[in-house]
């Protein structure tokens, strides 16, 4: 006569328990159950089983669908002797005739073993981390109560999928794609009940794991077979080799649906045929094909069985539940049209490939960067930011970089060795596509060149962002000069100070302040922020020592000493800032985000935020190709000094920077006229007392980024133009500049009560 309880097969555990946490938990359980002794049995070499009986509150009007849940149910609490409490206990029904085939939330049992209860949604170890054995018993009682009332599934009219506890590897494929194959009965050949797929095996896994690459049809079989054989002939040691397996998707030829659960999954070919037959899935045609026409080079063959359920599967879009297996067939295993050896069958778990919606959900980033973003620079910093954004589901990207990926780039770039010799932008595009194999990424593009040619109004009208992560200033100057579509947002990021300072700029609305404005305004903080002064001075010292570094260093050289973790920290900070800024309406002010990394006394980073108001912008009177951009407050300061000096003319020195390529002069500071200057109602003669020393000090403190750029003086009573004296002075200064080979233009501003008149010569 068959035994009634599984525990009758187990022997009594007689050893001493050394685990102190386990001993305390068992003592606590005895107190909770008011029992002096617990029935402790040997489960296996590593685990004990506590045999208990729990009381179940059954529905007063009878069990749901007459499910055989009883008022008193025997259970087994299985506990790891060494790993407890970090390895949580598992609970099994002890009754052999427990109605496992009628209930969801039971794990598939190993052969000749009871199925474990699926007690929580999520990680059992996480749930048990702040619980005791008594809480586990209460949870089992509630589970059994819900089972008797038909309340285990709380997802409405959906079907709870089978829980598989132990599997040999995974099979990755898109549920909707495979469900469509089955719903359309898209067999490889007419009259068959199976489709054929090309599966890629993960080589670096001791257990077989597969990923569905393509569904093979009559139209594609020749092309795919050529690729299949090409990869098969490659040397197994090559990192680029793909291990392809031909696999099968099998379905029932009827429209019957099934709501029963399988108590056991098959472990042999004959058991697999029996398992499939209970769901009306006939393997006869597949077996014949495997015996006569299968072209697998490798022994392992993935098989996906589709079972039709009465309701949509929880978490999916269709009512087909997939069971995943693989078999290993060798020549002696088959004869004529059948498999003659009862070969082993291994169970696998299905995983969904990553989708953009899932990436947004998991990363918590639902905002969009916009219609599309142009990203220039796919080097160390750019590649990591790009992959951060892509992994957050932002793939509307045009990637640009003229360089190919070199072996030394492996130290700091987000790409790996399989990209060596490939253009960086194209390689990153490929990696992003690999992230989302079943998504159509039409807006993801790669330009293996610099993209100055597309920096115009027409090409950027469908773009919302331009990101500049290039290591040089040439592209930034191109952005500055370009006439772009209205409303486009500009962001530039780089690191400097030997990699220890990350700088991220966001232009203001309507491109004021621009990137170049923000950079100069950052340098102008040298007086207020010692961190800026010390950074600029270190950069200048490095240049003087001919070290290969400058403002906004790149790291594409093999000689640059810079650790990957430093680049990654900057990239993570920048991408987080970019995500936040993408949620906000473009600000009228420009924004500067700094990320300072320190190595002593311990490794740390310190963020700094600066906001820059829009600049006053005016063109040169005599040469409109030059543009003058003034820091907020400069004009007011000039007019105030003009008023205080009336009726005399006055003036002073202009501190800033000139750029011949962009034809821009930035004004950040004014110096008062030296004490030996002379003032009168008709003229102003600027003196020189202490002036060279003052300018040199500014030049030194700013690391030569700022200095003398021109002069200003007032015409309190007119004229609104340069006087004859002004023209003579300008001519003299121009001759002096030419003799000294000064690399700045002659720049004069005349201030009147009604006008600001800049002149560039």
């Amino acid at each position: 006569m068959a035994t009634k309880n599984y525990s009758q097969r187990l022997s009594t555990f007689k050893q001493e328990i050394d685990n102190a946490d386990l001993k305390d938990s068992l003592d606590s359980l005895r107190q909770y159950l008011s029992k002096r002794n617990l029935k402790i049995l040997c489960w296996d070499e590593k685990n004990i089983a506590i045999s208990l009986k729990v009381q179940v509150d059954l529905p007063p009007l009878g069990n749901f669908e007459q499910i055989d849940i009883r008022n008193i149910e025997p259970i087994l609490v299985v506990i790891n002797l060494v790993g407890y409490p970090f390895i949580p206990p598992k609970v099994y029904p002890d009754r052999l005739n427990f109605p496992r085939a009628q209930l969801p939330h039971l794990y598939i049992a190993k052969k000749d073993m009871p199925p474990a209860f699926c007690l929580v949604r999520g990680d059992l170890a996480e749930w048990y981390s702040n619980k005791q054995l008594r809480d586990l018993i209460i949870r089992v009682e509630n589970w059994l109560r819900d089972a008797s009332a038909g309340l285990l599934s709380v997802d409405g009219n959906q079907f709870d999928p089978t829980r598989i506890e132990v599997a040999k590897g995974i099979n990755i494929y898109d549920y909707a794609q495979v469900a469509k194959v089955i719903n359309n009965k898209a067999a490889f050949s007419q009259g068959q009940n199976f489709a054929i797929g090309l599966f890629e095996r993960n080589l670096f896994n001791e257990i077989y794991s597969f990923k569905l690459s393509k569904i093979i049809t009559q139209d594609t079989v020749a092309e795919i077979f050529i690729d299949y054989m090409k990869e098969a002939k490659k040397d197994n040691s090559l990192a680029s080799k793909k291990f392809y397996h031909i696999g099968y998707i099998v379905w029932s030829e009827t429209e019957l649906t099934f709501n029963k659960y399988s108590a056991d999954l098959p472990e042999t070919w004959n058991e697999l045929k029996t398992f499939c037959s209970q769901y009306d899935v006939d393997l006869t045609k597949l077996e014949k094909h495997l015996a006569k026409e299968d072209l697998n080079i490798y022994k392992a063959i993935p098989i996906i069985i589709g079972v039709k359920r009465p309701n949509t599967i929880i978490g999916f879009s269709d009512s087909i539940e997939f069971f995943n297996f693989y078999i290993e067939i060798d020549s002696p295993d088959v004869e004529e049209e059948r498999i003659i050896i009862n070969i082993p069958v291994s169970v696998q778990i299905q995983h969904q490939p990553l989708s953009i919606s899932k990436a947004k959900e998991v990363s918590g980033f639902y905002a969009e960067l916009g219609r599309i973003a142009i990203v220039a620079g796919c080097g160390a910093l750019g590649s990591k930011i790009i992959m951060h954004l892509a992994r957050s589901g932002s793939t509307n990207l045009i990637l640009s970089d003229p360089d190919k990926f070199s072996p030394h780039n492996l130290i700091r770039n987000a790409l790996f060795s399989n990209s060596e010799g490939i253009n960086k932008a194209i390689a990153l595009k490929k990696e992003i596509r690999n992230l989302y194999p079943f998504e159509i990424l039409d807006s993801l593009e790669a330009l293996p060149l610099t993209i100055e040619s597309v920096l115009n109004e027409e090409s950027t009208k469908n773009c919302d962002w331009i990101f500049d992560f290039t290591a040089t200033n040439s592209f930034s100057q191109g952005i500055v000069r370009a006439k772009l579509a209205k409303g486009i947002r500009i962001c530039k990021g780089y690191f400097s100070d030997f990699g220890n300072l990350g700088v991220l700029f966001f232009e203001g609305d309507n491109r004021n302040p621009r990137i170049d404005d923000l950079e100069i305004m950052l340098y102008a903080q040298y007086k207020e922020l010692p961190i800026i002064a010390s950074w600029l001075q270190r950069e200048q010292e490095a240049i003087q020592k001919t070290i290969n570094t400058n403002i906004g260093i790149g790291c594409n050289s093999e000689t640059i000493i810079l650790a990957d973790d430093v680049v990654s920290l900057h990239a993570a900070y920048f991408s987080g800032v970019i995500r936040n800024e993408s949620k906000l309406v473009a600000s009228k002010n420009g924004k500067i985000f700094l990320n300072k990394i320190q190595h002593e006394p311990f490794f740390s980073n310190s963020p700094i935020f600066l906001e820059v108001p829009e600049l006053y912008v005016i063109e040169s009177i005599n040469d409109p190709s030059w543009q003058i951009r003034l820091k907020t407050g400069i004009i007011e300061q000039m007019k105030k000094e003009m008023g205080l000096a009336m009726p005399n003319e006055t003036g002073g020195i202009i501190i800033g920077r000139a750029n011949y390529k962009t034809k821009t002069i930035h004004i950040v500071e004014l110096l008062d006229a030296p004490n030996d200057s002379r003032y009168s109602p008709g003229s102003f003669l600027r003196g020189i007392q202490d002036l060279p020393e003052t300018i040199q000090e500014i030049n030194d403190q700013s690391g030569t980024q700022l200095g003398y750029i021109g002069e200003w003086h007032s015409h309190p009573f007119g004229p609104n133009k340069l006087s004859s004296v002004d023209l003579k002075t300008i001519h003299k200064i121009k001759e002096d500049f030419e003799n000294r080979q000064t690399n700045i233009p002659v720049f004069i501003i005349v201030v009147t009560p009604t006008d600001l008149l800049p002149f560039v010569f």
Side-chain angles (χ1 to χ4, degrees):
M1 182 177 179
T3 57
K4 295 182 179 180
N5 290 10
Y6 180 80
S7 58
Q8 291 176 292
R9 307 177 184 180
L10 305 178
S11 60
T12 302
F13 181 78
K14 298 179 180 180
Q15 301 174 29
E16 187 71 25
I17 294 176
D18 297 325
N19 187 325
D21 291 316
L22 178 53
K23 288 200 292 188
D24 289 343
S25 292
L26 292 177
D27 288 341
S28 177
L29 182 61
R30 291 186 187 96
Q31 293 178 17
Y32 171 67
L33 298 174
S34 300
K35 286 189 173 185
R36 180 177 297 179
N37 295 309
L38 295 173
K39 187 177 181 181
I40 304 178
L41 306 171
C42 294
W43 180 261
D44 56 30
E45 293 180 355
K46 297 180 180 180
N47 298 275
I48 58 172
I50 313 299
S51 176
L52 299 173
K53 291 183 179 180
V54 296
Q55 188 165 349
V56 185
D57 292 330
L58 299 176
L61 298 180
N63 288 2
F64 175 74
E65 294 185 349
Q66 298 182 335
I67 293 175
D68 184 20
I69 302 291
R70 302 176 185 180
N71 183 252
I72 302 295
E73 281 288 355
I75 63 170
L76 291 169
V77 181
V78 176
I79 306 173
N80 189 284
L81 285 166
V82 176
Y84 180 88
F86 304 107
I87 298 176
K90 294 180 181 178
V91 185
Y92 299 80
D94 192 16
R95 186 158 54 92
L96 290 179
N97 58 352
F98 188 79
R100 57 172 75 180
Q102 295 173 271
L103 295 172
H105 293 281
L106 281 171
Y107 284 104
I108 290 292
K110 295 180 182 178
K111 193 169 186 179
D112 299 325
M113 298 281 283
F117 293 111
C118 179
L119 296 172
V120 297
R121 288 184 181 271
D123 189 351
L124 180 62
E126 183 67 22
W127 177 85
Y128 191 70
S129 63
N130 60 351
K131 299 291 191 297
Q132 303 178 42
L133 284 174
R134 61 178 292 176
D135 300 308
L136 190 70
I137 302 306
I138 294 170
R139 181 71 196 95
V140 173
E141 291 172 344
N142 292 338
W143 191 100
L144 290 165
R145 178 202 62 202
D146 291 344
S148 66
L151 299 175
L152 281 180
S153 295
V154 293
D155 297 275
N157 293 323
Q158 292 183 295
F159 192 86
D160 219 318
T162 304
R163 263 67 175 173
I164 298 176
E165 187 176 18
V166 179
K168 291 185 177 180
I170 62 174
N171 199 335
I172 302 172
Y173 54 85
D174 180 56
Y175 175 93
Q177 181 193 26
V178 178
K180 183 178 180 181
V181 168
I182 292 179
N183 286 327
N184 293 339
K185 296 185 176 179
F188 177 75
S189 298
Q190 188 174 2
Q192 294 177 339
N193 66 328
F194 61 88
I196 303 177
L198 186 68
F199 292 77
E200 185 177 346
R201 171 165 56 94
N202 185 344
L203 179 63
F204 303 101
N205 196 334
E206 293 181 1
I207 300 174
Y208 283 117
S209 288
F210 302 97
K211 179 170 66 175
L212 177 60
S213 178
K214 298 174 183 176
I215 299 294
I216 302 174
T217 66
Q218 293 288 348
D219 294 332
T220 62
V221 61
E223 177 185 351
I224 292 175
F225 185 72
I226 292 173
D227 189 39
Y228 174 74
M229 294 304 299
K230 178 182 175 182
E231 292 296 325
K233 291 176 181 178
K234 286 183 180 179
D235 191 295
N236 288 353
S237 62
L238 290 176
S240 62
K241 177 168 182 172
K242 294 181 180 180
F243 288 79
Y244 283 133
H245 294 243
I246 297 171
Y248 301 90
I249 303 164
V250 195
W251 57 83
S252 170
E253 296 181 90
T254 70
E255 298 303 319
L256 297 176
T257 62
F258 302 86
N259 61 5
K260 68 174 291 186
Y261 288 89
S262 297
D264 304 290
L265 286 180
E267 296 182 2
T268 66
W269 176 252
N270 290 338
E271 290 177 1
L272 178 62
K273 290 196 289 186
T274 302
F275 170 86
C276 290
S277 66
Q278 65 181 322
Y279 296 113
D280 210 27
V281 177
D282 188 356
L283 295 186
T284 303
K285 295 176 181 177
L286 175 63
E287 183 176 19
K288 180 179 179 180
H289 176 86
L290 291 172
K292 292 187 65 177
E293 301 177 49
D294 181 69
L295 298 176
N296 265 294
I297 295 173
Y298 308 107
K299 294 180 181 179
I301 301 173
I303 298 175
I304 302 171
I305 306 296
V307 174
K308 297 175 183 178
R309 299 300 194 179
N311 302 105
T312 301
I313 307 299
I314 292 174
F316 295 101
S317 58
D318 212 303
S319 58
I320 300 173
E321 181 176 10
F322 294 121
F323 292 90
N324 302 275
F325 309 95
Y326 74 83
I327 59 176
E328 293 185 69
I329 296 182
D330 207 349
S331 300
D333 300 328
V334 298
E335 184 178 280
E336 295 182 350
E337 297 184 356
R338 63 190 185 91
I339 298 172
I340 60 172
I341 304 296
N342 196 19
I343 55 176
V345 171
S346 299
V347 179
Q348 295 198 301
I349 297 175
Q350 186 251 337
H351 281 191
Q352 278 287 110
L354 184 63
S355 65
I356 289 176
S357 60
K358 178 59 72 173
K360 290 180 179 293
E361 176 189 339
V362 173
S363 64
F365 180 60
Y366 294 97
E368 292 287 349
L369 284 177
R371 289 166 293 177
I372 202 163
I374 296 173
V375 185
C378 301
L381 180 65
S383 67
K384 291 178 184 290
I385 295 174
I386 288 165
M387 292 308 296
H388 282 314
L389 296 175
R391 288 190 172 102
S392 297
S394 296
T395 59
N396 295 338
L397 306 170
I398 298 175
L399 310 178
S400 170
D401 199 298
D403 293 336
K404 291 184 179 181
F405 191 72
S406 300
H408 73 270
N409 295 142
L410 290 166
I411 298 168
R412 291 180 287 257
N413 201 287
L415 294 167
F416 292 95
S417 59
N418 60 340
S419 297
E420 288 181 273
I422 302 175
N423 173 266
K424 292 177 182 177
I426 291 175
L428 278 170
K429 175 183 175 180
K430 180 181 177 182
E431 292 302 321
I432 295 171
R433 285 198 173 277
N434 287 341
L435 286 177
Y436 307 106
F438 294 96
E439 297 277 2
I440 299 174
L441 305 180
D442 288 337
S443 57
L444 177 64
E445 298 181 44
L447 302 176
L449 67 161
T450 56
I451 56 172
E452 283 89 341
S453 59
V454 301
L455 290 179
N456 56 67
E457 189 171 359
E458 180 63 26
S459 298
T460 58
K461 66 181 180 181
N462 293 323
C463 297
D464 286 328
W465 285 93
I466 292 178
F467 293 101
D468 176 13
F469 302 125
T470 56
T472 63
N473 289 322
S474 59
F475 182 74
S476 299
Q477 291 173 353
I479 295 177
V480 168
R481 294 192 300 264
K483 291 184 178 180
L484 304 175
K486 188 176 180 180
I488 197 165
R489 302 175 69 179
I490 314 294
C491 170
K492 176 178 176 61
Y494 62 87
F495 45 76
S496 189
D497 198 11
F498 307 96
N500 293 318
L501 182 68
V503 183
L504 190 67
F505 297 136
F506 289 89
E507 288 191 350
D509 195 16
N510 294 320
R511 304 210 62 198
N512 185 1
R514 293 185 318 208
I515 286 176
D516 55 336
D517 302 332
L518 294 169
E519 191 157 34
I520 301 301
M521 293 307 121
L522 176 60
Y523 301 157
Q525 294 289 320
Y526 73 94
K527 286 185 178 179
E528 286 76 15
L529 294 176
I531 184 178
I532 302 300
S534 60
W535 156 49
L536 296 176
Q537 291 164 28
R538 278 192 298 273
E539 291 282 358
Q540 180 58 24
E541 289 172 6
I543 292 172
Q544 291 173 347
K545 293 177 181 178
T546 67
I547 295 176
N548 185 22
T549 184
N550 52 30
I551 303 297
I553 64 169
C555 58
N556 57 339
S557 169
E558 297 180 62
T559 62
I560 294 296
I561 299 173
L562 185 60
D564 181 62
D565 50 12
V566 173
V567 179
S568 297
L569 182 52
H570 288 313
Y573 176 71
F574 286 176
S575 63
V577 172
I578 289 169
R579 285 199 300 269
N580 283 346
E581 286 297 312
S582 69
K583 301 174 187 176
L584 305 175
V585 176
S587 171
K588 288 186 177 180
N589 294 337
K591 296 179 180 181
I592 302 175
F593 294 86
L594 304 178
N595 187 43
K596 175 63 177 174
I597 292 179
Q598 296 170 300
H599 298 267
E600 299 293 342
F602 52 84
F603 188 78
S604 62
N605 72 301
S606 306
I608 300 173
F609 171 67
L610 303 172
E611 202 158 14
V612 179
E614 61 182 345
L615 280 65
Y616 183 81
V617 181
I618 189 170
E619 292 178 349
S620 169
I621 300 297
N622 64 311
D623 184 355
S625 66
W626 278 92
Q627 191 178 78
I628 294 83
R629 303 176 75 86
L630 297 88
K631 180 183 176 182
T632 301
I634 295 291
I635 296 176
E636 291 77 7
Q637 185 179 347
M638 290 178 179
K639 293 198 171 184
K640 180 181 178 181
E641 292 187 20
M642 177 178 66
L644 292 173
M646 278 182 158
N648 295 327
E649 291 188 4
T650 189
I653 302 300
I654 299 172
I655 300 299
R657 183 165 167 167
N659 189 316
Y660 271 100
K661 287 189 176 180
T662 60
K663 286 206 158 184
T664 304
I665 294 175
H666 283 94
I667 302 175
V668 301
E669 186 180 352
L670 299 178
L671 296 183
D672 294 338
N675 291 334
D676 60 340
S677 300
R678 288 184 286 178
Y679 311 84
S680 72
S683 67
F684 164 71
L685 183 60
R686 189 261 299 158
I688 62 170
Q689 184 179 336
D690 299 328
L691 184 58
E693 293 81 4
T694 302
I695 291 176
Q696 186 61 48
E697 183 180 1
I698 292 172
N699 198 254
D700 291 342
Q701 289 183 356
S702 69
T704 71
Q705 296 301 320
L706 302 172
Y708 172 92
I709 197 64
E711 312 202 15
W712 75 276
H713 68 275
S714 64
H715 288 181
F717 304 107
N720 283 13
K721 62 180 182 178
L722 293 171
S723 67
S724 58
V725 175
D726 294 335
L727 291 171
K728 289 180 181 179
T729 302
I730 290 169
H731 181 71
K732 182 179 179 182
I733 295 173
K734 191 169 179 63
E735 282 186 349
D736 185 44
F737 278 12
E738 288 174 354
N739 291 333
R740 296 185 183 185
Q741 296 184 335
T742 305
N743 62 346
I744 59 172
V746 177
F747 174 47
I748 301 290
I749 292 181
V750 174
V751 181
T752 73
T754 58
D755 287 309
L756 183 77
L757 307 171
F759 298 88
V760 181
F761 297 91

